[in-house]
Amino acid sequence: IDCAKGVEERTIKLMNNVLAVQAGRPFLVYDSSAAAREAYIDGARAALLKKDYIALEAIIRRALESGRPAASP
C-alpha cells in the first residue's frame, strides 16, 4: 500500500507540474515532510473520490508560491 501511495503521489505531482508549465507557471515545490506528504495524498483522494478540492487546492497554491522557474530549452 505504501508503494501505491508513492506512485499515486508522484503521478499527480508530475501532472500538476505539466499543467503549471503549460500555463507559464514555475515548477511546483512541495513541502516534503512526512505530514505534508500524507496531507497531499489525503487531499488528492478527497479531490478524486469526493470532488472535494479544498485541501488539494491549498497545497497546490502553497507549492506554486514556492515554485521555481522551469529550465529554458
Side-chain angles (χ1 to χ4, degrees), residues 9-63:
E9 176 187 10
R10 287 188 302 273
T11 301
I12 295 170
K13 285 182 178 180
L14 173 64
M15 293 308 301
N16 284 334
N17 269 317
V18 168
L19 293 170
V21 171
Q22 286 179 341
R25 300 289 201 136
F27 286 113
L28 284 71
V29 177
Y30 295 94
D31 179 347
S32 60
S33 68
R37 289 184 68 202
E38 195 64 34
Y40 185 92
I41 291 168
D42 291 344
R45 285 193 176 136
L48 291 169
L49 300 175
K50 301 176 187 172
K51 307 287 189 229
D52 177 359
Y53 303 101
I54 294 171
L56 190 57
E57 181 181 334
I59 291 166
I60 292 171
R61 187 176 310 281
R62 285 191 301 273

